[in-house]
Amino acid sequence: MKFFLECYGKFGMVKKRGWTYASDTLTKSLKYRGKITTYGGGGFFTELSTTKFETKAIIKKLKDNLWITRGTRAVFVDFSVYNANLNIFGVAKLVFEFPSTGGVIPSDHIRTVSLIQFQTKWDLVILISKVFSYIFIFYYIVEEIREMMYFRGSYFLRFWNYVDLAIIALMVTGLILYLIIMLKVPSAIETIKKNPKWYGNLEYVNDLEQKRTNILAIALCLIYLKAFKFLNFNRTMGQLNNTLNRCALDILGFSMMFFIIFFAYAELGYLLFGHQVENFSTFSVSMFTLLRTILGDFNYPEIEEANRILAPIYFVTYIFLVFFVLLNMFLAIINDTYSDVKTEIALAPDELQMTEYVGEKLGKFMRTLGLGRYFPKKPTRGIKTTLREIREVLKKCGFTDVEIEMFFVRYNIDPWTNMDLNDSEQFCQELNVVLSAESNNGVRLEDFIRQQERLQQIENAVGRLVDQVKTLLERLEVMENVIKERRR
């Protein structure tokens, strides 16, 4: 029986660098996710030279002593470059993976980053902008704390508050990473200056910078999305926000049904084609493939070659259920809700717009400074609504065109005029007079509804009678034609 006391045995030129395993604390390398698997930062490493001939000699020496063996799974070539004209560092990693089946799978990972800052006047402008942005973030934190203390439990019932907290968390995390980078960069550059022939390892700093960039990108996206919160000042721009609020529950119920079918087909595709088709190799890859299929990006011959019998059934049923049924249901939910919101906004009086709100506040401030003659107070706006919009709302409520026309004729309303505040007040007064007169005559709402139901029953009976008369006339006409034919 043989025991292995260590994972990496000794081989080749044992005592020299490159032939002894080094942990990631010595190599200062990070984990790397390759095309086959994820590799740690440790391994067997050697330093290459800055000249061509010395580097060729080092590589020849490694080759002659069998540095790459059957146990080698990957070879990494790491180097860093610097462009002084653009003040940009390039951190490059060339990867050669050796699968157990043989062969080599090459790949590369190249990232650029600007680490030396405050070299130009524009960098000073950027620094000032950063300072002001983070001052605003800290003010923002204080405001959110005050809102939490004021609203307490109800604070967490509003969606936009979670967006605010996410923005604050992301911006603070970005600030912490920025401070860490500012502390690490000088020491890393100083190490490169002291040892110009060694590998200038900037992986850790570059990784922090990439993470900071990703975090700030997400924060900026949320800040842009938060603009929808303030677009409600404009009734036209607020249609999207109102539509999403109205149909949120419907979309939630639809999403449950959609994802049940979607996950079922993703699992089925993974089990049917995963052993031959790369796009279905894992369950997660299978889900992304089905999402691409919805957008029209699919490779049907690939799955047909994997399974000629089940592939057509799988593809046709998925397209029918998801594309023709579920996707159209989703669009119908959005369209129906948007139609309701648009009708309500069309009928509602003009609300205060963002520009008018800013102008009103500015004018009020100027009037307090004694400049009222240059900024007079604007009169209160009235209601201006076309009766065509009222007609659309009445149709939405279930009224027929005949009932709407009778309503307009009864109260002497011209359907093509605009209805301002005075007209609406006069209309309401006339309507109150009519309603009070009807109440004095003793007509109750129950009696009116009962009479309406009876009239509806009479109309239905008359309609059935008319249909029967039409049928009888048609039969008589047929009999008359038959008699005429016989006489001939």
Side-chain angles (χ1 to χ4, degrees), residues 398-413:
F399 291 96
T400 63
D401 291 331
V402 177
E403 292 173 336
I404 296 173
E405 292 296 336
M406 292 175 61
F407 176 78
F408 287 160
V409 171
R410 183 175 181 181
Y411 297 107
N412 298 324
I413 298 176

Side-chain angles (χ1 to χ4, degrees), residues 443-458:
V443 179
R444 296 183 303 173
L445 179 61
E446 293 81 2
D447 298 334
F448 178 77
I449 294 175
R450 191 178 300 108
Q451 292 296 331
Q452 286 290 104
E453 292 176 352
R454 290 179 180 178
L455 288 175
Q456 187 67 33
Q457 292 175 0
I458 294 173

Side-chain angles (χ1 to χ4, degrees), residues 314-334:
Y314 175 83
F315 182 76
V316 171
T317 54
Y318 175 76
I319 291 297
F320 177 77
L321 288 175
V322 175
F323 191 79
F324 289 106
V325 178
L326 295 179
L327 187 59
N328 284 288
M329 286 178 61
F330 176 76
L331 295 177
I333 293 172
I334 298 294

